[in-house]
Amino acid sequence: MQIFVTGASGFVGGAAVRRFVREGHRVRAMARSDRSAEAVAALGAEPVRCSLEAIGAADIGDADVVLHAAAFVDDWGPAEAWYQGNVIGTEHVLAATRAAGARRFIHIGTEAAIVHGQDIDGADESYPLAPESTYPYCATKAAAEAMVRAANDARLETIVLRSRLVWGPGDTTLAPAIEAMAGRWRWIDHGARAPRPRTSTTSSRPSRSRSPRACPARRTSCSTTASRPCTR
């Protein structure tokens, strides 16, 4: 199978490329810089010099499947950066995929697409998206997912994978943060007050105190407080 990948120099996209190559697929991947091209080549894939802003059918080539893992996930930035990277970028890759005649488009989504500050408990795939969320990352990933789902038809199968809390060898985000906090964890009452494990998808309960503060996760600001864990 021939596969085109965006975000191949990132953690999730790079892991996917390694797996595809190992299984004998021919892989070509977006490379937005010389450094990115080197990373793609090191994975065993063919670098294609293009970007989320400028990608066409010729870049996708004769791929059977497109895996879209690229996104704007920086900790800080203007809201427009999330919109351009996650919504417009996805729109461009989706259009190029259709123009190239690929049969399947796989979009790497996130559980953040359903978050707008509400309580969440036991959510599944039927839970409503939150394109009107005040959190730029959540809103733009929700809009991108809605676009991808709406594009599904007889000519192009579209799939959304909400890859929650991916970690492992090569992780450049979660593992370094955990290592930096090693020895600083604290369990309140040895965890006795927690009836069961909670995540932002299974249970996100806003605090009564909602004083905005700078948030280190995917948006410029949010209502996270010391008593309300970040929903991302």
Side-chain angles (χ1 to χ4, degrees):
M1 184 180 295
Q2 302 189 59
I3 305 172
F4 184 89
V5 179
T6 72
S9 58
F11 179 47
V12 173
V17 169
R18 282 192 295 272
R19 177 67 177 269
F20 295 152
V21 170
R22 185 166 66 247
E23 293 185 352
H25 300 294
R26 181 192 169 209
V27 184
R28 302 169 71 246
M30 173 183 290
R32 293 181 277 183
S33 65
D34 291 340
R35 182 178 180 180
S36 177
E38 292 173 1
V40 167
L43 294 171
E46 176 188 345
V48 179
R49 294 304 297 266
C50 57
S51 68
L52 294 177
E53 297 78 23
I55 181 172
D59 300 311
I60 302 296
D62 52 1
D64 303 295
V65 176
V66 171
L67 175 66
H68 180 41
F72 185 80
V73 296
D74 285 10
D75 293 337
W76 306 99
E80 182 66 14
W82 278 279
Y83 181 75
Q84 288 296 323
N86 299 337
V87 180
I88 301 303
T90 297
E91 180 180 28
H92 289 167
V93 179
L94 191 57
T97 298
R98 188 177 292 280
R103 296 292 298 168
R104 179 176 292 176
F105 183 93
I106 303 172
H107 175 73
I108 300 300
T110 170
E111 88 293 339
I114 66 174
V115 174
H116 56 82
Q118 79 284 28
D119 288 358
I120 300 175
D121 199 347
D124 62 14
E125 293 85 350
S126 65
Y127 198 93
L129 293 170
E132 301 303 322
S133 176
T134 56
Y135 310 141
Y137 180 71
C138 300
T140 56
K141 289 298 285 187
E145 178 173 325
M147 181 194 314
V148 171
R149 289 162 61 174
N152 185 72
D153 59 26
R155 293 179 52 238
L156 178 64
E157 179 184 31
T158 63
I159 299 171
V160 176
L161 299 178
R162 294 180 186 167
S163 49
R164 169 64 181 153
L165 197 62
V166 181
W167 63 285
D171 177 14
T172 59
T173 303
L174 182 61
I178 292 176
E179 290 175 359
M181 291 186 288
R184 301 180 184 178
W185 297 103
R186 295 291 184 273
W187 284 102
I188 299 176
D189 289 346
H190 303 286
R193 294 182 180 274
R196 63 184 176 87
R198 297 179 182 275
T199 70
S200 63
T201 300
T202 60
S203 183
S204 175
R205 301 189 178 282
S207 165
R208 291 181 180 179
S209 174
R210 301 183 63 84
S211 300
R213 70 170 189 173
C215 177
R218 316 304 189 237
R219 51 236 181 208
T220 53
S221 65
C222 70
S223 56
T224 297
T225 66
S227 59
R228 173 178 180 259
C230 179
T231 54
R232 183 65 178 85

